[in-house]
Each structure stands twice: as C-alpha cells, then as structure tokens.
Amino acid sequence: MPSSQEKSSPFELMTGRNALRSLALAGGVALHAINVYVVTTIMPTIVLSIGGLAYYAWSTTLFVVASILGSALSYRLIDRMGPRRAYLGALALFCLGSLICATAPAMWWLLAGRTVQGLAGGVLLALSYALIRMVYESRLWPRALAFVSAMWGVATLSGPALGGLFASLGWWRPAFLSLLPVAAALAAIVYRLVPATAPASSSAAGVPWGKLALLACSVMVVSVGSLSHELAWNAAGVAAGLALVAWMGRLDVRASSRLMPTGAYSTRTVLGACYLTMAMLIIGLTSEIFVPYFLQTLHGQTPLVAGYLTAVMAGGWTLASLMFSGCTGAAVVRLVRGGPVVTTVGLAALAVLVPRGESGDVAFAALCLALAGVGFGIGMCWSHLVTRVFRSAPVGQENLASGAVTTLQLYAIALGSAVAGMVANAAGLAEPGGIEGARTAAAWLFGLFALAPALAAWSARRS
C-alpha cells in the first residue's frame, strides 16, 4: 500500500462550495438509511393495519435484492445519463416508491413499493461512492468517505425515533411521506452542484442482465432458506446461494460486460484483497440483528434501550471514521491492518459478555465498549479501503469499481443476516428457546462471527 498521501483538513468539506457538495453526496445515503430504520420501526404497525404477517420478512428481502440491482446498475446510469440525471432519477424513483407504500391497501402493494424504494436506494448508495471520486480531489477522498459513513450513525439515532413517533400515533402512512420534502430539497441541491457529465468508462458493452439475475437469485435463495426453522433448509439455502454467486463470478471473469472490475475475484490483487476485507467486516457486523433480542432477554433491557445500545456499533463506526480519515502514509497501513483485529476482539468479547447477562455499572460499561469496538474497528479502516479501491481500479473501470463497493456491501449484509439466523436457530434460540437457548445462541453467534473479521485481518495484509 502506498505511503504517500497529501494531508487534508476536516474543515475543507464544510466550507465554500464543498459544503453543499458534501450535503448532496451524504444526503442520498442519509435518505436511504433513515428510510431503512423508519420502516423497520413501523412494520409491526403496518401488519396490524393491512395484514400480511406471513410476508413480514419479505419487506426486507425484496428491498435488499432491489438495492443490489440498483447498485449494480448505477455506474451504467452514470455513463449513459450523467451523474446529475442519474441522481435526480433515483430521487424520483424513491419518491414513487414511498407514495406506493403510503397508499398500500394490502401487503402485496406495500412489497411492490418497497421494491421500488430498494432499487432507488441502491442507486443512491452507489452514486455516493462514485461521485466522491468525481467531485473531490483525491486527497479529500478519505474525509468524504468518512462523512458519508457518518450518515449511517445519524440514521441509526434518528430513524427509530422518527418511526417510533409515527408508530405510537398509528400513522404509518404519513411516515412514508415524511421524507419526501427532504428528497425535494436534496434534488434542488443536486441540480445545482452535481456535474452533468462524467468521464467515460468501459461500460459500453451493455447491461449484464444474466449475471444480475444470478446475483438476485442468490440473495433470494439465501433469504428464503433463512426463513425456515429447520437447520437443513437454512444450510441448503446458504449453499445454493453461494453456488449461484460462484457461478456468476466464473461467468463474470470471462465476460466483456462485467459486474465487478478486473481483479476483483483474486486476493492476489490489491482490488480483490480490499473487496474481501470489506465483505468479511460487513458480515461480522450483521451479528447486530440479534443484539436487541439478546439484550432484552438476557440483560432485561427495555426495547428502546436495547435498540439504542445496538446503535452503539454504528456510533463506533462513525467515531472512528471521523477520527482516522485524515491519516496518511504508514498510519493508513496500520489502520487497515488493525481495524479488523479490533472488530474481531469486539465480537469475541460479546461472545463472553452477552451470554452472562450480568447487571451493574462495570458489566454495562464493558458491554458498551465491546459493542462500540465492533463498529470502531470497521470505521478505522473503511474509508481507507474504499480509497484504495478507487486508486487500484483498472483504467476505464473506475465507475464500475466504485459501484461494486455498494453491491458487495449489500450482498454481504444479505448473506450475513441469513447465516446469523441459521447459527442462532441451530444453537437453540427457538428450540429449546428461553433464557438458556438465548445464552447458547449468543455465545455461538458472536464466537463464530468473530471468524469473519479475523479472515479480514488476513486479507487486509494483502491489500
């Protein structure tokens, strides 16, 4: 990894024309992220109103699948429409999806709206990475990436509060409309400041619909398998999903129209090692989906407190991103190699602390420190890993490489969530269930998921 990098000031993103640019880039991520947490909070209210409990999980499944498709198509939209029109189109699609959800008379209608929202969200996430490379000098990339990452921390704190307010009033339909004014204001900023054209890339070969279909099917198979309470079906879903994505990768390596840039499938390249490191870190983080349940069941926390304790992970990521994004030279090498180690230690500590269910100030502080450590380790290295992807992208595939970051991130979330459910169920979360089942499940879940960032620590040394 190169050690030369010109220093930057954290205030450069917040002054002059850069301030509005930062708002435009981070605004799309914030819009998507806040929507995720708002919908998660109001879903129980929606089911009580229009029914469809059997399809509760499909609200997330279809959203994630559509987000992956959106992120994979984003760089082609940039090439063919230009960044500004692509961004405005994604905002319009997000508003359309929100309107469909707000008017849903039944669950199938809501799921259609969530699919549209997911497609728009995937484009917005990928555009944020691509535009950072286009509108800022390279020395500001780590700062800008840290600022964008911080939006997830903001969303984690504000999304549940906003959704909880509407849910407490029984107003789930207005909840979907609450972000439309924000989207309109963001569109005005984008129209003024986002460039209309972008440097040409090698995407002229067309859209690889076949490989996109394989990737979508892979996520669907994993997600469907994870819905079962039978371990055999869980494992079969994960195995089939991995087989499909492996098939997609083999086709992609030889294709003229690619989903991932050249070198992405080999850890012998800097690009491939960076992608593997990021994927393993995100998979480790997905263990957070069970944190609220464990904290309520084993530690006696209220739903609100458990929810915000879970947000400590995102808070750790945000804090580390802001602290270390300005580092250069040898410090970057240490951060990229040390971040996965910190995350591994955090998950290993949770494997010990969460099952105990101990009360008291010391135990509570240790739990918060471990939760924060999981996110902190990712925040230490994430912006530098993405910056390394930008700089290692093959000539002509820069947009493809930046869009692939979001595609990879979303796929890791889908895969990690499915595996987390499989491990928890196999360890006794549902059978025998209760406190003892939760203790065993927590120990196995966090212990096994610590292996993912441990693998990231190995691949980080090759990046």
Side-chain angles (χ1 to χ4, degrees):
M1 183 179 295
S3 60
S4 61
Q5 181 181 338
E6 188 178 350
K7 283 185 174 293
S8 62
S9 166
F11 300 105
E12 289 186 69
L13 294 180
M14 298 294 107
T15 56
R17 196 172 180 84
N18 276 347
L20 286 178
R21 285 174 175 168
S22 300
L23 183 61
L25 268 62
V29 176
L31 190 69
H32 170 80
I34 293 173
N35 174 67
V36 167
Y37 288 108
V38 167
V39 175
T40 299
T41 306
I42 64 174
M43 271 304 292
T45 306
I46 293 175
V47 170
L48 288 175
S49 175
I50 63 174
L53 180 60
Y55 301 96
Y56 188 102
W58 283 89
S59 173
T60 299
T61 299
L62 293 176
F63 183 87
V64 172
V65 170
S67 294
I68 291 174
L69 294 176
S71 68
L73 293 172
S74 62
Y75 85 95
R76 288 175 171 83
L77 295 177
I78 292 174
D79 289 337
R80 297 182 181 186
M81 300 173 62
R84 182 189 301 162
R85 290 177 61 193
Y87 204 138
L88 293 175
L91 287 173
L93 197 63
F94 175 84
C95 293
L96 175 62
S98 299
L99 290 170
I100 294 174
C101 291
T103 57
M107 181 58 76
W108 66 268
W109 188 296
L110 182 88
L111 294 179
R114 289 290 285 156
T115 302
V116 175
Q117 279 190 330
L119 188 64
V123 175
L124 289 173
L125 287 176
L127 278 173
S128 68
Y129 287 115
L131 289 174
I132 284 172
R133 186 178 51 78
M134 294 177 193
V135 305
Y136 293 116
E137 302 172 52
S138 61
R139 64 187 180 84
L140 291 176
W141 287 351
R143 297 281 189 190
L145 288 162
F147 186 68
V148 168
S149 296
M151 292 303 101
W152 282 97
V154 172
T156 304
L157 296 175
S158 60
L162 182 62
L165 174 63
F166 283 106
S168 65
L169 297 172
W171 295 353
W172 65 268
R173 296 183 190 275
F176 283 106
L177 304 177
S178 62
L179 294 177
L180 297 189
V182 178
L186 184 58
I189 297 173
V190 167
Y191 185 78
R192 286 185 55 198
L193 294 176
V194 172
T197 59
S201 73
S202 61
S203 61
V207 179
W209 293 112
K211 292 190 289 293
L212 279 174
L214 283 175
L215 189 63
C217 288
S218 171
V219 178
M220 292 293 288
V221 167
V222 173
S223 300
V224 170
S226 69
L227 297 178
S228 173
H229 295 293
E230 297 293 332
L231 177 60
W233 285 109
N234 297 156
V238 172
L242 290 176
L244 286 172
V245 81
W247 183 19
M248 184 276 295
R250 288 178 63 86
L251 294 175
D252 201 32
V253 168
R254 300 189 296 268
S256 58
S257 179
R258 301 174 63 99
L259 277 177
M260 303 287 284
T262 303
Y265 297 100
S266 173
T267 57
R268 296 180 180 178
T269 67
V270 171
L271 200 60
C274 286
Y275 281 142
L276 178 60
T277 301
M278 290 189 286
M280 291 299 102
L281 288 172
I282 293 300
I283 287 175
L285 185 68
T286 56
S287 59
E288 70 175 350
I289 63 176
F290 284 102
V291 169
Y293 177 81
F294 291 143
L295 292 181
Q296 291 177 59
T297 304
L298 300 175
H299 292 257
Q301 302 291 347
T302 65
L304 181 62
V305 172
Y308 276 104
L309 281 174
T310 305
V312 170
M313 283 189 179
W317 183 335
T318 300
L319 178 62
S321 294
L322 298 176
M323 286 177 60
F324 299 116
S325 61
C327 291
T328 59
V332 172
V333 177
R334 291 193 294 269
L335 289 169
V336 169
R337 294 180 178 180
V341 176
V342 173
T343 299
T344 301
V345 172
L347 286 170
L350 290 176
V352 176
L353 295 171
V354 174
R356 289 182 177 179
E358 294 180 351
S359 59
D361 294 340
V362 174
F364 184 80
L367 184 64
C368 289
L369 185 62
L371 288 167
V374 174
F376 194 87
I378 301 175
M380 286 171 60
C381 60
W382 188 264
S383 61
H384 299 293
L385 284 168
V386 179
T387 299
R388 187 62 174 146
V389 167
F390 288 174
R391 291 176 174 157
S392 303
V395 176
Q397 297 184 31
E398 296 86 355
N399 291 342
L400 176 60
S402 58
V405 171
T406 305
T407 304
L408 185 75
Q409 186 175 354
L410 290 167
Y411 186 81
I413 290 172
L415 180 62
S417 299
V419 174
M422 181 184 70
V423 171
N425 287 333
L429 185 69
E431 293 290 340
I435 293 178
E436 288 304 318
R439 282 177 177 160
T440 305
W444 276 99
L445 178 67
F446 294 118
L448 288 177
F449 268 61
L451 297 177
L455 177 58
W458 169 81
S459 59
R461 300 187 68 85
R462 306 175 69 88
S463 65

